[in-house]
Amino acid sequence: MLDIIRDNWLLLLVGQYPTGPLGGLVLTLILSVMGLLLSFPISIGIALCRTSPIRFLYVSSTVLVYIVRGVPLVMFVFWGYFLVPILVGHSVTAFTTLICTLIVYESAYLSEVVRAGIQALPKGQVEASRALGMGYWKTNLWVVMPQALYNMVPSIISQFVSIIKETSIGYVISVQELTFSANQVNNNLLTRPFPVFLILAITYFIVCFVLTQCAQHLERTITRKRSPKMTQLRSIANDSVLEGQ
Amino acid sequence: MIQFSKVNKWYGEYQALTDVTAEVKKGEVVVICGPSGSGKSTLIRTVNRLEEIKSGVICVNGQDIHAPGLRINDFRSGIGFVFQSFNLFPHLSVSENVCLAPVRVSGRSKREAREHAAALLDRVGLAHKANAYPQQLSGGQQQRVAIARALAMNPPVMLFDEPTSALDPEMVGEVLNVMKSLARDGMTMVCVTHEMGFAREVSDRVWFMDRGVILEENAPEAFFTAPQHARSKAFLSDLRAH
Amino acid sequence: MLGRLDFSAIFAGPFAHLLVSGAIKTFELTATSWTLAVGLGVVLAVLRASGFPIATKAVAAFVAYHQNVPMLVQILLWYFGVPTLLPDAAQTWINAHDGELIFASIAVGLCMSAYFSEDLRSGLRSVHHGQQEAARSLGLSFFGTMRYVTLPQAIRNALPTFINHTVLLFKNTSLAMTIGAAEMTYVVREIENETFRTFEAYAVATLFYLAVSLGLMGLGALVEKRIQNQAR
C-alpha cells in the first residue's frame, strides 16, 4: 500500500496539475471552502426568513429547506448539470455545476444550524434590545447574530466536515476531486482496488477527523464560557448538521 | 406622562387586563403590587409595547403608543425598561452594553457614548467594571448595569419590571439604592415590585392590582396602614406573615 | 420550455416498468440497509454502554471511521475493494446474486449503524442517572432497569434524530447508482438517455424521493406525538 502512495501521492494531492486542471485533495478543499463561504450568507438569509413573522417568507423558506432535506444530493447534482447551463445561457464546467449545487444544498442545511443558533438565544435578549429602541435589523445585526454565530461555530465546523464529504459526489460528474483522482489511480493499476480505495478512505478520515476534534474542543470552550442551555440547543443544531451526510 | 385609558388585553380566552384607567404624572414614582397573575407585569410591558393591547389607549408623553402604523422604535428609546432577568448582552462588555443604543440608534460617536457611559456607570457605582463582561458580575451588579443601560438614552420615564425578584437577598439593597437615588432626582418611575419598604420610602402612589384590574390606588402610607379593599387587606396580611 | 413537457414519453412502453423496478430496488436497498443499521446500531450502543474499555474504544473507532469517510467512498471501497480480498468462489457467488445490492446495503447499513448507535447513546445519556438509581433501589436488575426504565425513555428522546437519520439512509441509497445498482436514480438516468426528456425524468425521481422522505418525516412526527401522549 505504501508503494501506491509513494507513486501516486501527487495525483491524489493535486490531480493533473500543472499539466492539467487542479484536482485531488487540494481541489476537494477548495471546493469545500468555496462551498462554505458562498453558502454562508445565503443560509443566514434563509434562517432569518425561517424565523420571520412575515408569513410569505416563512412558508417559502420552509418549503425550500424541506425540499433540500428530502431529495438526495446526487439528484441535485444531476439537476444542476441539466439546469445551470440553461440558466446561464452557455455550457459550464463540471466544477461550476458542482459549486452551484453545493451552494444550494448547503445553504439549506447551514440555515438550519443558524436557525437553531438564533432560537437558542433567550427571548430576553431580543426584548432588551427592542426596549432600547433598536429595530429588527439593528437587533439582528448587533445582538442576535453575533451571539448566535459564535455559539454555533462548532456546528458550523461540523457542517464544513459534511461539505468535504459531499464534494466526493463530484466523482459522478467527473470533477477531478480526490475521489475521482483515486478512481483514476485505480484504473491505472487495475489489480489493487482495495489498497487504493483504502488510502482514499483514510485520507478523508484524517482530514475530517481532525476537524471534528477541533469542533468538539471549541464546543467545550464555548460551553464553559456561555450557559449550559447552549449545549442542549446546540445538539439540536448538530442533528440537522449530521443529516448533511 | 403616562395615561392608561380603558385598556383591555386578552390572552386567548383569558382576560389579562380589564378596563384599566390610570395616570402617572411627571416626576411621580408609582409602585404596582399585587398577587402573581394579577397582570402587573403585563400592564407595565404594554407601556413600551412589548405587549399589545386589544382596546383602549396608552399615551406616553402625549403619544399614543399603540397607534397602528406607529414606528415604535423611535419612541422606545424614550422609555427606559429594566427587566427582571437583566438581559444584558453577554457578548459585549459592560461599557459596550451601555453604549450600544446611543451609538447604533441615536448615532452618537463612540467616544461621546463611552464618556456618557462612564458617567452613568459611576452613578450606579460600577465605574471600575466598565471593561468587565456580564458573566463576571454578580446579579446585583448586572442589574445596576442594566439600569445604566436604560438611562443611557436619557429617557424621561423609567419602567422597572420586578427588578429585584431574581436577586439573592443580600444584593437587593444595592439595586434599590440606585432606584431610590433616581427617584430623589425627580425621575418619573413605574415599578412592579414586592419590595414594600421601597414603596413606602420613595413612591408617591401605590396601585394594587388583582386579576387584571387596579383595585386600589392610594398614597403609600394610607395603603399600607389602611387598605380599603378586601383583597388588598388579604394580600398585605399574606406579605406580613413572612 | 414548460409547454413542451411530455411526461407521457417517460411512462411509455418499457419505461413505466423500469420506473417501478427502480422504485422497488430503492425500497429493497432501504429495507436491507436499515435493518442492518438498526440491528448493529443497538449492539454498538449496548457495547459502548457496557463500560469495558476495549469495547468502548472499538465502537468509538468504528463510529469515527464511518462518520468521517464519505458514504460514496465507503460504497466504492466495499464494491470495488473488498471482493478482491475474497476467494474466487465467493466472488462468483456474489456476482450471481446481485452484488450491487449486497455491497451497497452493507456499506450504507454499516455507515448508518454508526449514526444510529450515536443516537441511542445520546438517548441513553439523556435519561437522568437518578432514574436508574431509583429502579435499582426498587430491586430491578441491570437488564430489568434497562428494559423497563432506561431504554423506553432513551428511545423516546432519541426518536426525532432517529427519524432524521432514517430519511438520510433512504436518500443515501441513491449513491448505489455509482456502482450500477438499478435503483431509482440510475433508472431515471437511463430513461433520460433514451428519451432525452431530462426535465420530466428528473422530476419523477425528485417527486418520488420527496414523497417518501416527507412521508417518513410525517410518520415520525405522528409516532412522536403518540409517544408524547402516552407519557402524560
Side-chain angles (χ1 to χ4, degrees):
Chain A
M1 200 166 92
L2 287 171
D3 58 318
I4 299 180
I5 301 177
R6 198 191 41 203
D7 295 334
N8 295 288
W9 67 274
L10 198 59
L11 178 64
L12 289 171
L13 187 62
V14 287
Q16 313 231 2
Y17 192 80
T19 58
L22 190 60
L25 178 59
V26 169
L27 184 64
T28 293
L29 292 172
I30 291 178
L31 278 165
S32 312
V33 171
M34 277 180 76
L36 183 67
L37 290 177
L38 292 171
S39 60
F40 196 63
I42 303 176
S43 68
I44 294 180
I46 298 177
L48 285 175
C49 289
R50 290 273 265 148
T51 52
S52 164
I54 302 174
R55 191 167 168 77
F56 169 73
L57 289 176
Y58 173 74
V59 169
S60 50
S61 56
T62 307
V63 166
L64 174 72
V65 170
Y66 270 91
I67 289 179
V68 172
R69 280 174 66 184
V71 178
L73 179 60
V74 154
M75 261 332 289
F76 267 102
V77 167
F78 289 139
W79 271 117
Y81 204 68
F82 170 60
L83 280 178
V84 172
I86 293 179
L87 291 171
V88 167
H90 56 80
S91 66
V92 292
T93 60
F95 175 87
T96 315
T97 309
L98 185 59
I99 280 286
C100 293
T101 312
L102 275 178
I103 290 173
V104 171
Y105 197 73
E106 277 312 313
S107 300
Y109 275 102
L110 208 51
S111 79
E112 291 288 89
V113 173
V114 177
R115 184 173 72 101
I118 294 175
Q119 291 179 328
L121 276 191
K123 208 163 75 113
Q125 290 290 301
V126 174
E127 284 189 346
S129 177
R130 306 288 253 134
L132 287 169
M134 309 230 292
Y136 176 79
W137 290 107
K138 288 204 175 98
T139 301
N140 270 317
L141 183 57
W142 301 110
V143 175
V144 175
M145 281 303 160
Q147 295 186 65
L149 294 176
Y150 175 79
N151 288 328
M152 285 297 129
V153 163
S155 302
I156 294 174
I157 295 183
S158 299
Q159 193 63 33
F160 182 60
V161 170
S162 291
I163 299 178
I164 294 176
K165 294 192 289 173
E166 280 155 19
T167 58
S168 61
I169 206 80
Y171 160 84
V172 175
I173 54 171
S174 304
V175 174
Q176 313 229 3
E177 43 71 58
L178 181 59
T179 309
F180 186 85
S181 303
N183 195 46
Q184 272 187 313
V185 172
N186 182 44
N187 288 338
N188 290 340
L189 295 176
L190 281 179
T191 55
R192 308 180 61 188
F194 186 77
V196 171
F197 285 112
L198 188 61
I199 292 169
L200 177 64
I202 292 175
T203 311
Y204 274 110
F205 177 78
I206 293 174
V207 174
C208 295
F209 185 70
V210 167
L211 281 168
T212 311
Q213 293 304 107
C214 288
Q216 285 178 358
H217 174 76
L218 274 171
E219 169 130 18
R220 282 192 287 272
T221 314
I222 292 181
T223 312
R224 253 186 286 122
K225 281 192 179 171
R226 296 266 200 262
S227 70
K229 191 182 179 205
M230 290 304 161
T231 329
Q232 178 203 27
L233 289 143
R234 212 180 300 119
S235 68
I236 300 175
N238 282 332
D239 292 344
S240 58
V241 158
L242 288 176
E243 280 186 51
Q245 239 192 29
Chain B
M1 181 64 70
I2 306 177
Q3 280 117 357
F4 299 92
S5 184
K6 287 185 168 304
V7 175
N8 282 291
K9 179 182 173 66
W10 278 268
Y11 283 118
E13 300 279 313
Y14 172 71
Q15 185 160 14
L17 296 172
T18 310
D19 275 343
V20 174
T21 304
E23 192 183 342
V24 179
K25 297 198 186 61
K26 189 165 158 63
E28 263 196 316
V29 176
V30 170
V31 164
I32 309 179
C33 65
S36 65
S38 55
K40 358 185 253 296
S41 277
T42 312
L43 185 65
I44 202 174
R45 284 161 67 94
T46 58
V47 177
N48 72 344
R49 215 163 158 178
L50 284 173
E51 301 279 353
E52 297 288 338
I53 58 175
K54 199 63 190 278
S55 70
V57 180
I58 303 180
C59 279
V60 178
N61 228 353
Q63 171 67 46
D64 177 4
I65 284 292
H66 287 260
L70 181 71
R71 283 173 40 171
I72 186 65
N73 294 321
D74 300 337
F75 294 95
R76 276 195 177 132
S77 30
I79 306 169
F81 199 99
V82 177
F83 295 85
Q84 180 177 352
S85 47
F86 340 133
N87 290 336
L88 291 182
F89 305 130
H91 62 301
L92 302 174
S93 72
V94 161
S95 171
E96 284 165 349
N97 259 276
V98 179
C99 290
L100 182 66
V103 172
R104 300 295 168 196
V105 177
S106 307
R108 301 243 209 117
S109 79
K110 284 199 180 156
R111 195 172 47 83
E112 213 188 311
R114 244 180 289 130
E115 284 165 10
H116 186 51
L120 285 170
L121 287 170
D122 191 45
R123 187 172 176 188
V124 301
L126 287 170
H128 58 297
K129 290 283 186 185
N131 293 322
Y133 278 80
Q135 300 89 301
Q136 297 165 310
L137 303 180
S138 73
Q141 291 171 323
Q142 288 188 50
Q143 191 63 299
R144 285 189 274 152
V145 173
I147 296 175
R149 180 177 66 175
L151 287 171
M153 298 296 279
N154 294 324
V157 56
M158 288 281 282
L159 307 174
F160 294 83
D161 185 3
E162 302 212 37
T164 55
S165 299
L167 295 175
D168 289 336
E170 65 268 19
M171 293 190 238
V172 169
E174 68 195 57
V175 174
L176 288 181
N177 284 336
V178 171
M179 290 167 69
K180 284 180 202 171
S181 86
L182 275 177
R184 279 192 285 270
D185 288 343
M187 173 67 80
T188 313
M189 291 163 61
V190 181
C191 311
V192 173
T193 184
H194 296 296
E195 295 294 329
M196 297 298 121
F198 169 82
R200 289 177 103 127
E201 210 180 310
V202 284
S203 71
D204 297 305
R205 269 188 302 135
V206 174
W207 298 354
F208 174 75
M209 277 190 80
D210 193 13
R211 295 181 217 169
V213 180
I214 300 182
L215 281 183
E216 201 171 320
E217 216 189 291
N218 220 333
E221 263 325 300
F223 176 75
F224 288 115
T225 49
Q228 305 288 315
H229 208 281
R231 274 183 255 151
S232 342
K233 289 187 188 145
F235 174 71
L236 283 173
S237 69
D238 276 341
L239 272 191
R240 283 195 200 105
H242 299 107
Chain C
M1 189 179 86
L2 272 164
R4 281 176 284 156
L5 284 183
D6 181 15
F7 278 91
S8 60
I10 53 169
F11 288 116
F15 299 136
H17 187 255
L18 207 54
L19 281 170
V20 170
S21 73
I24 292 178
K25 191 63 148 207
T26 298
F27 287 130
E28 272 180 358
L29 271 168
T30 309
T32 46
S33 33
W34 188 84
T35 314
L36 174 60
V38 171
L40 187 56
V42 170
V43 168
L44 289 170
V46 171
L47 271 177
R48 194 157 193 178
S50 71
F52 295 122
I54 299 178
T56 318
K57 287 201 169 63
V59 173
F62 180 91
V63 168
Y65 170 81
H66 285 98
Q67 285 189 340
N68 285 299
V69 176
M71 179 94 69
L72 175 61
V73 171
Q74 292 179 38
I75 292 177
L76 294 176
L77 181 59
W78 274 101
Y79 185 71
F80 290 121
V82 168
T84 59
L85 301 175
L86 300 171
D88 286 334
Q91 290 193 37
T92 330
W93 185 92
I94 288 175
N95 286 333
H97 288 87
D98 200 355
E100 291 85 22
L101 176 67
I102 294 177
F103 283 118
S105 304
I106 296 176
V108 175
L110 280 167
C111 183
M112 296 313 294
S113 73
Y115 285 97
F116 285 157
S117 81
E118 284 295 283
D119 291 343
L120 195 51
R121 178 174 165 232
S122 33
L124 284 168
R125 268 207 307 220
S126 69
V127 181
H128 280 301
H129 192 59
Q131 295 282 304
Q132 285 141 319
E133 290 182 341
R136 299 306 293 274
S137 2
L138 286 170
L140 278 176
S141 71
F142 173 75
F143 285 109
T145 311
M146 261 293 158
R147 190 166 157 222
Y148 295 110
V149 175
T150 319
L151 270 177
Q153 294 189 61
I155 291 173
R156 190 183 317 137
N157 291 338
L159 204 55
T161 325
F162 177 76
I163 303 283
N164 281 337
H165 286 150
T166 301
V167 173
L168 182 62
L169 183 147
F170 169 71
K171 291 204 306 175
N172 279 334
T173 58
S174 61
L175 290 170
M177 62 131 347
T178 58
I179 57 171
E183 50 74 62
M184 191 49 136
T185 316
Y186 183 92
V187 155
V188 148
R189 288 272 286 175
E190 270 200 6
I191 295 179
E192 183 225 351
N193 278 332
E194 301 273 318
T195 65
F196 295 103
R197 297 254 150 235
T198 316
F199 187 90
E200 296 88 329
Y202 287 175
V204 168
T206 307
L207 286 170
F208 167 75
Y209 282 114
L210 254 182
V212 178
S213 297
L214 293 176
L216 279 171
M217 289 195 239
L219 193 69
L222 262 172
V223 173
E224 254 182 278
K225 223 184 233 181
R226 268 285 225 70
I227 291 189
Q228 300 279 35
N229 288 336
Q230 273 177 4
R232 275 181 222 287

